[in-house]
Amino acid sequence: MKSPKNENQENSRRSFIKNAAIVSSIAFVPRHVLGGVGFTAPSDQLNIAAIGAGGKGASDIKNASVNGRERIIALCDVDFNGSAKRSVENFPKAKLYADYREMLDKEKDIDAVTISTPDHVHGPAASYAMHRGVHVYVQKPMTHNIQEARLLTEMARDKKIVTQMGNQGGSNPLLNMVQGWIDSDKIGKVSKVQVWTNRPVWPQGIPFPKPEPSKKPDDLNWDLWLGPAEHIPFTPNLHPFNWRGWWDYGTGALGDVGCHLIDIPFRTLGLKYPTDAEASVASIYTDMWTADYYPKSCPPASFITLHFDETTKSRSPIEMTWSDGGIKPSHPDIIPADSDIGGRDSANGVLIIGEKGIISTNINDSSPLMPKLYLNDGTTDFGPEVEKSDEPEYGHQRKWVDACKAGFNSAEHKALTSSFDYAGPMTETVLMGNLATRSYMLQRENSAGKAEFFGRKKLLWDGENMRITNLEEANQFVGRNHREGFKI
């Protein structure tokens, strides 16, 4: 029989999980002998914590618990009076923290964390955990900016951390259908990809809200919510959701769903860093002849063009366009006029356009993927419009948990669909669109004393060195300044 757990055994348990050490045949008694069918011995459980326990964080940590198979030992959130209450109810034994740094410093037995905060905290929180040898699951986008994504990708390799980004659609088995069409040359050489969304569905392209410190909820730790961003007095209408439309905290429509939509062509075509980026944005006029100018805000709508070098799967250079704010591409002739393109009502979607036909898909989150193949000769092939999955979000969190237990570079780790080796470059590509958008809005005073836009050009990108080579001012958006205490 397994001897009673003591402190030394607990330390070895954590070492076993992190390093996938070889355990002798007498270390574990079969689970059904110890506690019935489905029982997991305490020494074989992962100790998991959540950074961001409300909203999407509530489902992330619940799914990571694998129906109670794993042990949730701590929850961190800046406001447990909000939607994070659901996680407290689900895991009443978990210790509660407001500051992820305090949690990770005090709870030495944490093996892995889910990170489901606003975008601007993803990078600092993941870095803090990874420096302590803790495996990380980070919501999309992986980071707030390109530099953070590159740093975390390299850190995961160096420190042998098992990682997964929360674009759960990457684990959708129906992606294999799309990959099969590409690999079997159904649509021939691919030269163009069109991606679009109906986001934003939150306030954007407007003046930054005014601070109102007297309205701060008593239970909200505002300073910790700001994290790496510049400290400002409490400002309503940012927490818990509308932060998405402000560059200091969010990444706009691209950051919200780009890692779901762009993931599909990036993955199936084997794309690498883009070679350039060009943006244009919608203008709002509340005064005649003078467009509103709110550089703190993501625009109400944008159109972005990225180019990629030829890959073995595309066999041709690729032009990818992205449009948001409800702007979608025109309806291809080979798709019947009364049929949706992309998803339902054509609200979100991807068109992969080849010399012999088109692949159409929906957004790749937890929505039905709805893959459709249209060939120029009239041949079609459709995937199901209703998906059946045996576990939530295609097992995306559970597969990460299993990989954490198997260890870095295990078969389970290599099978993950969004470990940082993949998710890092893909996130960088998504965020290149934001870099181009922010550069498009750069202003300076000209010789006549009038403001002029000087970043409205195609930006040439040196992906390996993370630099725009033809507009130095654009490189300020590759990274960000982190407030003291939240540096990576």
Side-chain angles (χ1 to χ4, degrees):
M1 293 290 290
K2 185 177 183 296
S3 60
K5 184 177 69 175
N6 57 33
E7 184 176 354
N8 290 332
Q9 286 175 314
E10 180 60 20
N11 289 336
S12 65
R13 178 205 69 80
R14 192 165 191 261
S15 176
F16 164 76
I17 291 173
K18 286 189 171 297
N19 301 304
I22 298 173
V23 181
S24 69
S25 60
I26 60 172
F28 295 106
V29 176
R31 294 173 185 173
H32 70 274
V33 174
L34 287 171
V37 176
F39 175 78
T40 301
S43 60
D44 201 18
Q45 287 182 306
L46 208 64
N47 285 340
I48 308 176
I51 301 175
K56 191 71 186 72
S59 59
D60 282 341
I61 192 62
K62 183 178 180 181
N63 292 344
S65 76
V66 195
N67 294 317
R69 190 189 75 182
E70 310 303 330
R71 186 188 295 116
I72 308 304
I73 67 170
L75 301 171
C76 177
D77 202 274
V78 297
D79 182 8
F80 279 107
N81 198 39
S83 59
K85 286 192 295 186
R86 188 157 42 118
S87 293
V88 177
E89 294 166 358
N90 288 336
F91 307 105
K93 294 182 180 180
K95 295 181 181 178
L96 305 184
Y97 291 88
D99 190 331
Y100 65 81
R101 299 166 300 182
E102 180 186 5
M103 179 183 75
L104 288 165
D105 288 344
K106 286 186 175 180
E107 302 294 330
K108 302 294 187 182
D109 291 332
I110 293 175
D111 299 307
V113 295
T114 60
I115 299 173
S116 313
T117 64
D119 300 347
H120 68 303
V121 181
H122 289 182
S127 173
Y128 203 87
M130 293 165 72
H131 274 300
R132 284 151 183 78
V134 175
H135 302 304
V136 296
Y137 179 100
V138 184
Q139 256 309 317
K140 52 77 195 166
M142 182 176 137
T143 58
H144 178 266
N145 56 72
I146 292 169
Q147 184 180 60
E148 290 178 342
R150 185 72 59 91
L151 288 171
L152 292 192
T153 300
E154 294 171 352
M155 191 184 300
R157 295 191 199 108
D158 292 344
K159 296 187 176 297
K160 295 180 168 46
I161 303 296
V162 177
T163 57
Q164 180 94 306
M165 183 173 73
N167 59 324
Q168 62 273 8
S171 291
N172 187 337
L174 278 177
L175 270 178
N176 294 330
M177 179 178 239
V178 179
Q179 189 70 70
W181 290 334
I182 295 292
D183 292 348
S184 61
D185 197 35
K186 287 290 188 182
I187 63 173
K189 291 182 181 180
V190 177
S191 59
K192 192 174 183 66
V193 174
Q194 296 175 317
V195 188
W196 70 97
T197 180
N198 61 353
R199 266 71 154 196
V201 293
W202 50 83
Q204 209 167 278
I206 58 175
F208 192 74
K210 294 180 180 180
E212 295 188 66
S214 64
K215 292 188 176 181
K216 187 188 80 67
D218 291 339
D219 296 308
L220 171 64
N221 190 315
W222 177 244
D223 187 68
L224 290 176
W225 186 90
L226 289 170
E230 177 185 4
H231 182 82
I232 62 172
F234 174 74
T235 304
N237 300 317
L238 296 180
H239 172 77
F241 188 77
N242 288 349
W243 50 266
R244 291 188 179 277
W246 306 104
W247 291 124
D248 276 351
Y249 320 109
T251 49
L254 254 171
D256 181 42
V257 293
C259 290
H260 293 309
L261 287 157
I262 291 176
D263 173 50
I264 300 166
F266 198 89
R267 184 185 302 275
T268 58
L269 295 173
L271 300 181
K272 306 300 181 184
Y273 300 129
T275 58
D276 56 64
E278 188 173 7
S280 59
V281 308
S283 296
I284 303 296
Y285 287 80
T286 52
D287 291 317
M288 183 72 74
W289 298 111
T290 303
D292 294 348
Y293 181 62
Y294 304 119
K296 286 180 175 288
S297 174
C298 308
S302 65
F303 185 88
I304 294 159
T305 303
L306 303 171
H307 288 100
F308 300 84
D309 287 334
E310 173 183 344
T311 71
T312 55
K313 292 185 181 296
S314 70
R315 294 177 293 124
S316 174
I318 298 284
E319 179 181 273
M320 178 188 293
T321 61
W322 163 276
S323 54
D324 56 43
I327 307 299
K328 63 179 186 290
S330 57
H331 204 103
D333 289 340
I334 66 171
I335 299 179
D338 292 334
S339 298
D340 291 330
I341 57 172
R344 292 191 176 94
D345 301 320
S346 306
N348 301 273
V350 176
L351 295 177
I352 303 175
I353 302 170
E355 59 186 352
K356 296 190 291 187
I358 293 175
I359 296 170
S360 168
T361 77
N362 191 15
I363 187 174
N364 192 27
D365 54 0
S366 295
S367 306
L369 185 62
M370 300 169 60
K372 294 181 172 66
L373 173 70
Y374 300 90
L375 299 184
N376 296 340
D377 65 5
T379 302
T380 60
D381 188 8
F382 296 169
E385 293 202 2
V386 177
E387 295 175 356
K388 295 182 179 179
S389 180
D390 294 333
E391 53 186 332
E393 299 191 353
Y394 315 108
H396 199 61
Q397 296 90 349
R398 189 267 306 162
K399 292 171 185 175
W400 165 71
V401 168
D402 290 348
C404 291
K405 296 170 83 168
F408 184 85
N409 225 24
S410 63
E412 291 85 347
H413 179 211
K414 292 177 180 179
L416 293 177
T417 55
S418 283
S419 68
F420 286 1
D421 278 331
Y422 169 80
M426 194 268 282
T427 298
E428 288 188 37
T429 295
V430 169
L431 297 177
M432 268 302 297
N434 282 345
L435 184 152
T437 299
R438 299 185 74 178
S439 299
Y440 184 88
M441 299 306 293
L442 285 171
Q443 271 191 359
R444 66 184 170 202
E445 190 176 285
N446 62 21
S447 57
K450 294 184 178 180
E452 66 176 6
F453 294 98
F454 64 94
R456 299 188 169 183
K457 60 194 297 184
K458 178 186 285 190
L459 303 176
L460 304 180
W461 180 240
D462 177 356
E464 292 299 324
N465 295 302
M466 291 190 296
R467 289 201 65 78
I468 297 295
T469 60
N470 64 331
L471 182 66
E472 180 58 36
E473 293 88 343
N475 287 308
Q476 66 184 288
F477 303 123
V478 172
R480 74 170 302 158
N481 292 322
H482 295 82
R483 194 157 58 108
E484 196 61 41
F486 299 93
K487 296 183 183 295
I488 293 182

